[in-house]
Amino acid sequence: MQTDSLLKRNGLSVTESRKKILQLFLEGSGALAHGDIEKKAGEKFDRVTVYRTLQTFVDKGIIHTIPSADNSIRYALCKDECSEGHHHDHHIHFECSICHTTYCLDDVVTPQINLPKGYVAGHVEVVVEGVCKNCK
Amino acid sequence: MQTDSLLKRNGLSVTESRKKILQLFLEGSGALAHGDIEKKAGEKFDRVTVYRTLQTFVDKGIIHTIPSADNSIRYALCKDECSEGHHHDHHIHFECSICHTTYCLDDVVTPQINLPKGYVAGHVEVVVEGVCKNCK
DNA sequence: TTTCTTTTGCAACAACGTTGCTTTTTTATA
DNA sequence: TATAAAAAAGCAACGTTGTTGCAAAAGAAA
């Protein structure tokens, strides 16, 4: 099973909730917010478990967070380069203003930004809002 | 008074709370989260008033929101080009990972992003995380 | 000043997120 | 495969954040 090996590879014990939540990320195309997961998991798990599982996955580099301007952080699967305590999500994110799906555009890398003197750049987040290919 | 005319120019009645909150934005350099405002306004206003005032300011194009990955939207003053229902904040934002101040870098415009076929870009948000000039 | 309109504050509530602790599940090991 | 140790889940309780309806207060207009 795909989920089992992914969990084991990251040094996590294999539990029902972790498998289920990971499955949701693997089968869906878009990013998921905490609320989406609670709904899709079908009242099967406690809210607390969902919070803790998401946190664990972020810590292990299995998923990453996507910033938003509406106070609802979304999460999406990381590609292979991520590992514990070290995210490498150099791609940009796209939010469809019609269907509200959030996509990781893995092939579009974040641009180089020229900052004013004195500022040192670390991580760059780019979120593009617009209309996705399914909603045109 | 600066605040009064700014409010009037935007068709808003001049009230104590609006003046005070606007003042906070005018005198500070960084962006403010709802919580910051509640603290700085010194228990003078009801939480609800702060929420409603911020919403009103956003609607009128006086302030704009800055997305974040930590569930705490920040707000900052718009430049003159913004108006009701029409924000023009084409600048990028910078979050210092040491002092946690969020700056609007008004002179750095958002880059052009090449999206995959089928995606139509609307607004582009760029948030750079790093070390600011005061914390180096 | 008086009237009308807008905004504020309050109360109540709903959603979101966290923590400590007990029970259950998973893992490791015999 | 049975058992002990470790890890995770569930539960309850709580604090914070954000929303709504309505009465009281403040601001605008005349």
Side-chain angles (χ1 to χ4, degrees):
Chain A
M1 212 174 180
Q2 198 181 359
T3 51
D4 293 35
S5 64
L6 189 45
L7 288 170
K8 281 185 188 144
R9 202 189 318 152
N10 284 281
L12 294 175
S13 41
V14 178
T15 68
E16 279 307 306
S17 43
R18 285 179 183 166
K19 281 197 284 186
K20 177 69 182 172
I21 292 174
L22 196 46
Q23 191 60 42
L24 291 177
F25 281 108
L26 287 167
E27 66 199 18
S29 56
L32 298 171
H34 172 93
D36 300 328
I37 293 166
E38 263 195 273
K39 285 186 205 90
K40 293 204 182 187
E43 275 118 67
K44 221 171 159 310
F45 306 108
D46 195 86
R47 264 158 18 88
V48 179
T49 301
V50 177
Y51 281 114
R52 291 199 268 227
T53 302
L54 289 173
Q55 189 54 56
T56 302
F57 286 179
V58 170
D59 291 346
K60 290 291 181 178
I62 299 173
I63 60 176
H64 61 275
T65 57
I66 304 171
S68 84
D70 73 337
N71 268 348
S72 74
I73 295 177
R74 292 176 180 282
Y75 301 85
L77 278 181
C78 289
K79 295 293 159 186
D80 295 336
E81 316 91 60
C82 291
S83 60
E84 188 156 3
H86 209 148
H87 284 281
H88 289 277
D89 45 332
H90 292 316
H91 60 276
I92 72 158
H93 295 105
F94 187 91
E95 269 190 45
C96 180
S97 49
I98 296 178
C99 66
H100 299 105
T101 305
T102 300
Y103 302 88
C104 289
L105 299 184
D106 295 302
D107 300 330
V108 185
V109 294
T110 52
Q112 194 66 35
I113 306 281
N114 279 321
L115 295 173
K117 214 171 170 54
Y119 291 86
V120 180
H123 184 72
V124 177
E125 278 287 351
V126 176
V127 180
V128 179
E129 169 272 334
V131 182
C132 79
K133 56 186 185 315
N134 299 322
C135 291
K136 276 215 304 185
Chain B
M1 215 177 180
Q2 197 180 359
T3 51
D4 293 35
S5 63
L6 189 45
L7 289 170
K8 281 185 188 144
R9 201 188 319 150
N10 284 281
L12 294 174
S13 41
V14 178
T15 69
E16 279 307 306
S17 43
R18 286 178 181 165
K19 283 197 285 188
K20 178 67 182 174
I21 291 173
L22 195 46
Q23 190 62 42
L24 290 177
F25 281 108
L26 288 166
E27 68 198 17
S29 56
L32 299 171
H34 173 92
D36 300 328
I37 293 167
E38 265 194 273
K39 287 188 202 85
K40 292 203 181 187
E43 276 121 65
K44 220 171 160 309
F45 306 109
D46 195 85
R47 265 162 13 90
V48 179
T49 301
V50 176
Y51 281 113
R52 292 199 268 229
T53 302
L54 289 173
Q55 189 54 56
T56 303
F57 286 179
V58 171
D59 291 345
K60 290 290 181 180
I62 299 172
I63 61 177
H64 62 275
T65 58
I66 303 170
S68 85
D70 74 337
N71 269 348
S72 74
I73 296 178
R74 292 177 181 281
Y75 301 85
L77 278 181
C78 289
K79 295 295 159 185
D80 295 333
E81 317 91 62
C82 291
S83 60
E84 188 156 5
H86 209 145
H87 283 280
H88 289 275
D89 43 332
H90 291 316
H91 60 276
I92 73 159
H93 294 105
F94 186 92
E95 271 190 43
C96 180
S97 49
I98 296 176
C99 66
H100 298 107
T101 305
T102 300
Y103 302 89
C104 289
L105 300 184
D106 294 301
D107 300 329
V108 184
V109 293
T110 52
Q112 194 66 35
I113 306 282
N114 279 320
L115 296 173
K117 214 170 170 54
Y119 292 86
V120 180
H123 185 70
V124 177
E125 279 288 349
V126 176
V127 180
V128 179
E129 169 272 333
V131 182
C132 79
K133 56 187 186 313
N134 300 323
C135 291
K136 277 212 306 186

